[in-house]
Amino acid sequence: GDCEEKEDTSKGLKEGEDEAQSEDGRQNVGEEVQAAIEALRLELAKRFTSVYEAFVFLDMDGDASVTLGELRAMLRQLWVEIPNLDGAIRGLSLQGSLGSSGGVDAQAEIDVGQFCGALSWHDLEEDHEAAIDLIRPRRERVVAKAMRLCNAVGAVKRRQMLAAGGTMTTVGSQSSAGGREDSQH
């Protein structure tokens, strides 16, 4: 009918507008979700040797699953910004644990299999848990390496912000130049 025609314009939606659209046109979110998952995969591949290292890094409490809360907190530490992170999580954790509205709560979980299957950029081991168990004792080293990398990324981003006219430490005459603030969700 008529409304299917209209839905096709969803590709032109700006960030933030897809929340309203995902209520009724969920089948059209697929492409954006795939793009978000792909962006997450690329960012993780830049910072970790394997998807298992990435999982161990993100799994703060070591319970063999990553919650949306953990993912958001750890990605922020890595200076990773994924435009449609909730959509990516929804795509990764389709096994329920979603709010009745179709939204994702901070406790939505992704298990080892879902995470590694969806985000790997290399061949996987047959036993994900065993691969994770091998890396978990080295978590501190994994975290340290990731933090070294992201501190370099962070320094570049800070320089870019300063070059764009934003100021991080000084509040001077140019603090309003550009007028852009980085949103920290």
Side-chain angles (χ1 to χ4, degrees), residues 36-177:
I37 290 172
E38 190 59 38
L40 183 55
R41 180 185 300 124
L42 286 172
E43 292 298 336
L44 293 175
K46 285 181 203 168
R47 293 166 175 81
F48 299 98
T49 313
S50 72
V51 72
Y52 301 114
E53 271 191 12
F55 186 88
V56 168
F57 176 84
L58 295 167
D59 182 15
M60 295 191 301
D61 57 10
D63 67 351
S65 70
V66 174
T67 64
L68 179 58
E70 285 175 317
L71 192 59
R72 280 202 183 113
M74 298 310 275
L75 289 179
R76 194 174 298 131
Q77 286 189 31
L78 292 175
W79 290 82
V80 172
E81 290 170 35
I82 305 295
N84 188 8
L85 186 59
D86 281 12
I89 300 303
R90 194 178 297 132
L92 293 174
S93 67
L94 286 176
Q95 269 75 326
S97 75
L98 301 181
S100 54
S101 66
V104 181
D105 63 34
Q107 293 312 307
E109 291 190 350
I110 305 162
D111 69 27
V112 181
Q114 292 165 323
F115 184 90
C116 297
L119 293 170
S120 67
W121 56 91
H122 53 78
D123 291 337
L124 292 173
E125 303 293 327
E126 279 181 37
D127 186 343
H128 300 310
E129 280 83 3
I132 296 293
D133 288 340
L134 286 174
I135 294 168
R136 192 168 277 126
R138 295 184 286 128
R139 184 172 194 274
E140 281 178 31
R141 251 181 293 170
V142 169
V143 169
K145 187 179 93 175
M147 289 327 226
R148 273 198 310 276
L149 277 171
C150 77
N151 286 337
V153 171
V156 170
K157 290 209 175 182
R158 284 190 288 276
R159 280 198 297 275
Q160 286 170 345
M161 260 183 72
L162 291 168
T167 55
M168 301 230 17
T169 49
T170 58
V171 179
S173 55
Q174 52 162 273
S175 64
S176 62

